[in-house]
Amino acid sequence: MRKKVIAGNWKMNMLPNEAIQFIEELAPMVKDTQNEVVLCVPYTDLFYALLTAQNTNIKIGAQNMHFEESGAYTGEVSGKMLKAINAQYVIIGHSERRQYFNETDETVNKKIKSAFEYGLKPIVCVGETLDQREAGETEEVITKQTKLALEGLTEKQVENTIIAYEPIWAIGTGKTATKEDANNSIKAIRNKIAEIYGQTVANRVIIQYGGSVKSTNAKELFEMSDIDGGLVGGASLKADEFSKIVNFE
Ligand code: PGA
């Protein structure tokens, strides 16, 4: 049985004092869940979030990292730096980074490898645009992104990668993929992984859905056969709402 992983992606929101307050509020509400609870926070919140989440079941991650361990890369943060403060997760290749910050399949692949080098768990985002969906290219696009992201990883590393299937047209728009569509896309990703790394590996990979997940649709999505939880943006900014998503059962 794969675990459900519910990860919040705060994006460029929340000041340190708000992060602390949020985690103090969330912790008692999610303490009994069997699901994995993760918050991916801005770099400036990481240290405070990690301290506040100590002795809780809330895991903390970043939203990006550089693939080099150090050097002349002004403004960047490396996996080694994230690991040094005990961050556990890192989102890689979010569509906003692909769209606004020139993230490519190649940099995504390098970042995943670097994340593993430093013992961070990557949450790797793939997803099609509306144009691609309407042209019937969804499966081709997301399986190609998955293949390129995972290229050169060991089977063990692939097993430990979390993939977030996030149709771009559903992010922050209030439009959610139907549970059947989301499940089918995730199955296509799983089948591609099976084709390259074998069925056992594919059966173990956690693949989330993301894109306008909220407390009112989490249950129907997360109960689908292949959807192993979610990556949650807007609805992860209120502790009460996010706790309902974590406790969707
Ligand atoms: P959303 O964002 O839940 O606000 O649609 C999801 C994401 O971008 O990870």
Side-chain angles (χ1 to χ4, degrees):
M1 256 306 265
R2 291 183 300 268
K3 208 171 174 160
K4 304 275 185 204
V5 179
I6 320 295
N9 172 14
W10 282 357
K11 309 193 179 185
M12 198 170 72
N13 294 292
M14 302 285 243
L15 299 174
N17 62 322
E18 294 168 327
I20 292 167
Q21 206 184 342
F22 181 103
I23 293 167
E24 282 172 350
E25 204 182 326
L26 181 70
M29 298 193 279
V30 298
K31 69 175 179 14
D32 297 323
T33 184
Q34 297 302 305
N35 306 324
E36 183 103 332
V37 189
V38 184
L39 291 173
C40 294
V41 307
Y43 292 134
T44 44
D45 290 342
L46 270 175
F47 184 71
Y48 302 94
L50 281 156
L51 278 184
T52 315
Q54 261 178 359
N55 307 317
T56 76
N57 57 342
I58 301 169
K59 309 271 181 6
I60 303 295
Q63 301 170 9
N64 178 39
M65 58 175 267
H66 197 277
F67 49 81
E68 294 290 351
E69 80 166 42
S70 64
Y73 300 101
T74 302
E76 291 293 315
V77 170
S78 72
K80 189 178 187 182
M81 292 168 167
L82 295 177
K83 189 61 190 177
I85 61 166
N86 292 325
Q88 286 171 278
Y89 288 78
V90 58
I91 298 174
I92 291 182
H94 189 279
S95 62
E96 286 151 16
R97 296 217 54 89
R98 293 182 192 250
Q99 188 180 349
Y100 308 132
F101 303 99
N102 299 324
E103 194 84 79
T104 63
D105 289 323
E106 194 191 341
T107 57
V108 167
N109 178 252
K110 284 185 177 173
K111 288 179 180 193
I112 298 169
K113 286 179 178 155
S114 183
F116 278 120
E117 196 170 324
Y118 295 106
L120 297 162
K121 206 169 175 66
I123 301 177
V124 181
C125 303
V126 300
E128 80 287 359
T129 63
L130 188 57
D131 284 352
Q132 289 165 333
R133 161 155 293 237
E134 284 171 352
E137 296 167 1
T138 299
E139 192 169 321
E140 187 190 328
V141 169
I142 61 178
T143 54
K144 184 168 172 228
Q145 284 176 337
T146 303
K147 176 175 179 279
L148 294 175
L150 302 179
E151 212 150 68
L153 297 188
T154 65
E155 288 179 8
K156 199 87 219 145
Q157 288 172 331
V158 173
E159 257 181 52
N160 283 313
T161 302
I162 296 179
I163 295 175
Y165 166 60
E166 298 206 306
I168 295 169
W169 50 269
I171 295 178
T173 57
K175 289 186 198 144
T176 322
T178 64
K179 56 186 184 186
E180 291 82 11
D181 275 355
N183 202 48
N184 284 338
S185 293
I186 289 177
K187 272 190 187 160
I189 294 169
R190 206 179 293 290
N191 288 340
K192 178 52 89 178
I193 294 172
E195 191 185 303
I196 307 172
Y197 300 95
Q199 195 62 52
T200 311
V201 172
N203 288 345
R204 289 182 181 154
V205 178
I206 288 168
I207 310 182
Q208 302 170 311
Y209 167 78
S212 299
V213 173
K214 39 189 184 285
S215 60
T216 48
N217 61 22
K219 185 175 162 72
E220 62 172 53
L221 286 161
F222 299 169
E223 279 181 353
M224 296 301 283
S225 63
D226 279 68
I227 305 183
D228 307 323
L231 184 58
V232 185
S236 73
L237 294 170
K238 293 268 184 304
D240 183 48
E241 170 71 1
F242 188 60
S243 76
K244 288 184 188 148
I245 299 173
V246 170
N247 299 315
F248 68 91
E249 288 98 338

